[in-house]
Amino acid sequence: MRILVFDSGVGGLSVAREIGKALPGVGMDYVADLAVFPYGALEPGVLIDRVLSLMETALAALDPAALVIACNTASTLVLPPLRARFKLPIVGTVPAVKPAAEHSRSRLASVLATPGTVKRDYTRGLIDRFGGDCRFTLVGSMVLAELVERAVSGESVTDAELLAEIAPCFVEEAGRRTDTVVLACTHYPLVLDRLRALAPWPVEWIDPAPAIARRVATVTAGAGRSRDEGAPHRFFSTGRRPVPAMLDAFGFEDGGDLFAGEALKIARG
Ligand code: DGL
């Protein structure tokens, strides 16, 4: 069986890593839309069209048992149109508001995400439905996903750059402090050790990847052999090629040019 994992960039590897642990025998194909990354500031309509068109190409070529949208910025918009168009099981990644509300004792929690994710009605809806009496601070970072892309590719990213992005998550109010931070962009768990070390005080960082991996295991139970059964984990990208050392670190090989024909220019809002 093979699974297709999609993100705008390398962040979805934080989800792929957990899928590999939950389903050790599975083959993974990963698609990163590096030509358009970051998705965080894209207009919703542009983002939806882009993801539908890439998935059309990828699903036809790779024929996976399930598709994982390992991107909060995309999942909070594209899951309904994707499910309407494609019939395979589709697992999304959305802000882990419910586990955060269950965990927080100070009743102050933060959602750290891209500007797109914090603006979405979907995210507000999750807080209304599952937040209870927990007060959520929504922190939309313009650059943290990009800093993570750089760090994972071996470029230097300073502590000051990272701290500036996470600092607004830490709120002190009437003797209470934020005790829970939702990592609502799949890039962020890739630098979790550094975020933990830089945090002004200890908090619980909620990474939804293990829960997503369990969901993938459930929806693919009983799936048969895939067309390319036994092939290595393959990484496909639009635009630039990924850094080989990064692929090695996650157990992926460069899959080559699946999207050679895709139009790479899109309008930005
Ligand atoms: N990894 C993506 C997410 O989970 C976002 C990165 C981007 O801005 O494209 O939201």
Side-chain angles (χ1 to χ4, degrees), residues 7-8 11-12 37-40 70-74 114 117 145 184-187:
D7 183 27
S8 55
F37 175 89
Y39 276 5
C71 175
N72 295 260
T73 313
T114 67
T117 299
C185 167
T186 52
H187 280 71

PDB file of all heavy atoms in Angstrom, residues 7-8 11-12 37-40 70-74 114 117 145 184-187, ligand 1:
ATOM      1  N   ASP A   7       1.877  18.774   1.091  1.00  0.00           N
ATOM      2  CA  ASP A   7       1.998  20.054   1.814  1.00  0.00           C
ATOM      3  C   ASP A   7       2.548  21.091   0.841  1.00  0.00           C
ATOM      4  O   ASP A   7       3.070  20.748  -0.224  1.00  0.00           O
ATOM      5  CB  ASP A   7       2.943  19.908   3.025  1.00  0.00           C
ATOM      6  CG  ASP A   7       3.040  21.190   3.857  1.00  0.00           C
ATOM      7  OD1 ASP A   7       2.087  21.983   3.869  1.00  0.00           O
ATOM      8  OD2 ASP A   7       4.091  21.395   4.501  1.00  0.00           O
ATOM      9  N   SER A   8       2.440  22.351   1.230  1.00  0.00           N
ATOM     10  CA  SER A   8       3.043  23.409   0.411  1.00  0.00           C
ATOM     11  C   SER A   8       4.561  23.282   0.391  1.00  0.00           C
ATOM     12  O   SER A   8       5.211  23.696  -0.564  1.00  0.00           O
ATOM     13  CB  SER A   8       2.663  24.776   0.996  1.00  0.00           C
ATOM     14  OG  SER A   8       3.040  24.823   2.355  1.00  0.00           O
ATOM     15  N   GLY A  11       6.977  20.860   5.522  1.00  0.00           N
ATOM     16  CA  GLY A  11       6.342  20.680   6.823  1.00  0.00           C
ATOM     17  C   GLY A  11       5.615  19.358   6.984  1.00  0.00           C
ATOM     18  O   GLY A  11       5.646  18.739   8.046  1.00  0.00           O
ATOM     19  N   GLY A  12       4.991  18.892   5.915  1.00  0.00           N
ATOM     20  CA  GLY A  12       4.242  17.638   5.986  1.00  0.00           C
ATOM     21  C   GLY A  12       5.116  16.439   6.323  1.00  0.00           C
ATOM     22  O   GLY A  12       4.603  15.369   6.671  1.00  0.00           O
ATOM     23  N   PHE A  37       5.006  27.819  -2.475  1.00  0.00           N
ATOM     24  CA  PHE A  37       5.218  28.032  -1.047  1.00  0.00           C
ATOM     25  C   PHE A  37       5.634  29.483  -0.782  1.00  0.00           C
ATOM     26  O   PHE A  37       6.462  30.004  -1.510  1.00  0.00           O
ATOM     27  CB  PHE A  37       6.314  27.080  -0.546  1.00  0.00           C
ATOM     28  CG  PHE A  37       6.671  27.316   0.889  1.00  0.00           C
ATOM     29  CD1 PHE A  37       5.989  26.654   1.888  1.00  0.00           C
ATOM     30  CD2 PHE A  37       7.664  28.240   1.250  1.00  0.00           C
ATOM     31  CE1 PHE A  37       6.292  26.901   3.226  1.00  0.00           C
ATOM     32  CE2 PHE A  37       7.957  28.483   2.586  1.00  0.00           C
ATOM     33  CZ  PHE A  37       7.279  27.811   3.561  1.00  0.00           C
ATOM     34  N   PRO A  38       5.152  30.159   0.274  1.00  0.00           N
ATOM     35  CA  PRO A  38       4.214  29.675   1.279  1.00  0.00           C
ATOM     36  C   PRO A  38       2.746  29.872   0.872  1.00  0.00           C
ATOM     37  O   PRO A  38       2.425  30.791   0.131  1.00  0.00           O
ATOM     38  CB  PRO A  38       4.545  30.550   2.491  1.00  0.00           C
ATOM     39  CG  PRO A  38       4.982  31.859   1.902  1.00  0.00           C
ATOM     40  CD  PRO A  38       5.663  31.515   0.597  1.00  0.00           C
ATOM     41  N   TYR A  39       1.889  28.994   1.397  1.00  0.00           N
ATOM     42  CA  TYR A  39       0.454  29.103   1.146  1.00  0.00           C
ATOM     43  C   TYR A  39      -0.207  30.093   2.115  1.00  0.00           C
ATOM     44  O   TYR A  39      -1.339  30.505   1.905  1.00  0.00           O
ATOM     45  CB  TYR A  39      -0.225  27.736   1.362  1.00  0.00           C
ATOM     46  CG  TYR A  39      -0.174  26.794   0.177  1.00  0.00           C
ATOM     47  CD1 TYR A  39       0.525  27.109  -0.986  1.00  0.00           C
ATOM     48  CD2 TYR A  39      -0.845  25.565   0.235  1.00  0.00           C
ATOM     49  CE1 TYR A  39       0.552  26.221  -2.061  1.00  0.00           C
ATOM     50  CE2 TYR A  39      -0.826  24.684  -0.833  1.00  0.00           C
ATOM     51  CZ  TYR A  39      -0.128  25.017  -1.978  1.00  0.00           C
ATOM     52  OH  TYR A  39      -0.112  24.137  -3.031  1.00  0.00           O
ATOM     53  N   GLY A  40       0.509  30.438   3.204  1.00  0.00           N
ATOM     54  CA  GLY A  40      -0.094  31.200   4.306  1.00  0.00           C
ATOM     55  C   GLY A  40      -0.759  32.493   3.907  1.00  0.00           C
ATOM     56  O   GLY A  40      -1.722  32.919   4.532  1.00  0.00           O
ATOM     57  N   ALA A  70      -1.330  17.300   4.526  1.00  0.00           N
ATOM     58  CA  ALA A  70      -0.539  17.565   5.727  1.00  0.00           C
ATOM     59  C   ALA A  70      -0.229  19.055   5.826  1.00  0.00           C
ATOM     60  O   ALA A  70       0.923  19.466   5.991  1.00  0.00           O
ATOM     61  CB  ALA A  70       0.741  16.739   5.704  1.00  0.00           C
ATOM     62  N   CYS A  71      -1.272  19.851   5.714  1.00  0.00           N
ATOM     63  CA  CYS A  71      -1.128  21.306   5.692  1.00  0.00           C
ATOM     64  C   CYS A  71      -2.408  21.907   6.261  1.00  0.00           C
ATOM     65  O   CYS A  71      -3.490  21.700   5.702  1.00  0.00           O
ATOM     66  CB  CYS A  71      -0.924  21.756   4.247  1.00  0.00           C
ATOM     67  SG  CYS A  71      -0.862  23.543   4.040  1.00  0.00           S
ATOM     68  N   ASN A  72      -2.283  22.611   7.372  1.00  0.00           N
ATOM     69  CA  ASN A  72      -3.466  23.244   7.976  1.00  0.00           C
ATOM     70  C   ASN A  72      -4.021  24.336   7.075  1.00  0.00           C
ATOM     71  O   ASN A  72      -5.235  24.490   6.942  1.00  0.00           O
ATOM     72  CB  ASN A  72      -3.100  23.889   9.321  1.00  0.00           C
ATOM     73  CG  ASN A  72      -2.682  22.888  10.367  1.00  0.00           C
ATOM     74  OD1 ASN A  72      -3.464  22.519  11.227  1.00  0.00           O
ATOM     75  ND2 ASN A  72      -1.441  22.417  10.315  1.00  0.00           N
ATOM     76  N   THR A  73      -3.115  25.099   6.481  1.00  0.00           N
ATOM     77  CA  THR A  73      -3.527  26.243   5.652  1.00  0.00           C
ATOM     78  C   THR A  73      -4.412  25.773   4.505  1.00  0.00           C
ATOM     79  O   THR A  73      -5.387  26.430   4.145  1.00  0.00           O
ATOM     80  CB  THR A  73      -2.279  26.962   5.115  1.00  0.00           C
ATOM     81  OG1 THR A  73      -1.360  27.149   6.194  1.00  0.00           O
ATOM     82  CG2 THR A  73      -2.618  28.297   4.508  1.00  0.00           C
ATOM     83  N   ALA A  74      -4.081  24.619   3.932  1.00  0.00           N
ATOM     84  CA  ALA A  74      -4.892  24.057   2.852  1.00  0.00           C
ATOM     85  C   ALA A  74      -6.104  23.311   3.412  1.00  0.00           C
ATOM     86  O   ALA A  74      -7.235  23.499   2.938  1.00  0.00           O
ATOM     87  CB  ALA A  74      -4.048  23.125   1.988  1.00  0.00           C
ATOM     88  N   THR A 114      -0.219  29.794  10.316  1.00  0.00           N
ATOM     89  CA  THR A 114       0.031  30.793   9.270  1.00  0.00           C
ATOM     90  C   THR A 114      -1.090  31.844   9.329  1.00  0.00           C
ATOM     91  O   THR A 114      -2.160  31.598   9.907  1.00  0.00           O
ATOM     92  CB  THR A 114       0.018  30.136   7.874  1.00  0.00           C
ATOM     93  OG1 THR A 114      -1.309  29.675   7.584  1.00  0.00           O
ATOM     94  CG2 THR A 114       1.002  28.983   7.785  1.00  0.00           C
ATOM     95  N   THR A 117      -4.441  30.338   8.157  1.00  0.00           N
ATOM     96  CA  THR A 117      -5.147  29.442   9.089  1.00  0.00           C
ATOM     97  C   THR A 117      -5.827  30.220  10.208  1.00  0.00           C
ATOM     98  O   THR A 117      -6.961  29.910  10.576  1.00  0.00           O
ATOM     99  CB  THR A 117      -4.164  28.396   9.661  1.00  0.00           C
ATOM    100  OG1 THR A 117      -3.655  27.637   8.568  1.00  0.00           O
ATOM    101  CG2 THR A 117      -4.831  27.473  10.662  1.00  0.00           C
ATOM    102  N   ALA A 145       7.036  29.460   8.957  1.00  0.00           N
ATOM    103  CA  ALA A 145       7.146  28.290   8.066  1.00  0.00           C
ATOM    104  C   ALA A 145       8.381  28.435   7.156  1.00  0.00           C
ATOM    105  O   ALA A 145       9.104  27.462   6.915  1.00  0.00           O
ATOM    106  CB  ALA A 145       5.880  28.132   7.229  1.00  0.00           C
ATOM    107  N   ALA A 184      -0.190  24.616  14.795  1.00  0.00           N
ATOM    108  CA  ALA A 184      -1.217  24.474  13.757  1.00  0.00           C
ATOM    109  C   ALA A 184      -0.652  24.768  12.364  1.00  0.00           C
ATOM    110  O   ALA A 184      -1.348  25.277  11.494  1.00  0.00           O
ATOM    111  CB  ALA A 184      -2.403  25.374  14.078  1.00  0.00           C
ATOM    112  N   CYS A 185       0.592  24.450  12.192  1.00  0.00           N
ATOM    113  CA  CYS A 185       1.239  24.444  10.877  1.00  0.00           C
ATOM    114  C   CYS A 185       2.216  23.287  10.952  1.00  0.00           C
ATOM    115  O   CYS A 185       2.979  23.174  11.930  1.00  0.00           O
ATOM    116  CB  CYS A 185       1.971  25.752  10.620  1.00  0.00           C
ATOM    117  SG  CYS A 185       3.089  25.682   9.192  1.00  0.00           S
ATOM    118  N   THR A 186       2.181  22.415   9.955  1.00  0.00           N
ATOM    119  CA  THR A 186       2.964  21.175  10.045  1.00  0.00           C
ATOM    120  C   THR A 186       4.471  21.421   9.999  1.00  0.00           C
ATOM    121  O   THR A 186       5.246  20.528  10.341  1.00  0.00           O
ATOM    122  CB  THR A 186       2.550  20.216   8.917  1.00  0.00           C
ATOM    123  OG1 THR A 186       2.608  20.923   7.663  1.00  0.00           O
ATOM    124  CG2 THR A 186       1.146  19.692   9.155  1.00  0.00           C
ATOM    125  N   HIS A 187       4.870  22.611   9.595  1.00  0.00           N
ATOM    126  CA  HIS A 187       6.310  22.915   9.617  1.00  0.00           C
ATOM    127  C   HIS A 187       6.869  22.972  11.047  1.00  0.00           C
ATOM    128  O   HIS A 187       8.009  22.606  11.293  1.00  0.00           O
ATOM    129  CB  HIS A 187       6.583  24.272   8.954  1.00  0.00           C
ATOM    130  CG  HIS A 187       6.598  24.228   7.461  1.00  0.00           C
ATOM    131  ND1 HIS A 187       5.457  24.035   6.717  1.00  0.00           N
ATOM    132  CD2 HIS A 187       7.620  24.345   6.571  1.00  0.00           C
ATOM    133  CE1 HIS A 187       5.784  24.049   5.428  1.00  0.00           C
ATOM    134  NE2 HIS A 187       7.081  24.229   5.314  1.00  0.00           N
TER     135      HIS A 187
HETATM  136  N1  DGL B   1       2.710  23.568   6.457  1.00  0.00           N
HETATM  137  C1  DGL B   1       1.636  24.448   6.180  1.00  0.00           C
HETATM  138  C2  DGL B   1       0.539  24.337   7.240  1.00  0.00           C
HETATM  139  O1  DGL B   1       0.412  23.337   7.907  1.00  0.00           O
HETATM  140  C3  DGL B   1       1.861  25.893   5.907  1.00  0.00           C
HETATM  141  C4  DGL B   1       3.051  26.527   5.332  1.00  0.00           C
HETATM  142  C5  DGL B   1       2.719  27.620   4.318  1.00  0.00           C
HETATM  143  O2  DGL B   1       2.515  28.787   4.685  1.00  0.00           O
HETATM  144  O3  DGL B   1       2.658  27.254   3.143  1.00  0.00           O
HETATM  145  O4  DGL B   1      -0.248  25.237   7.400  1.00  0.00           O
END
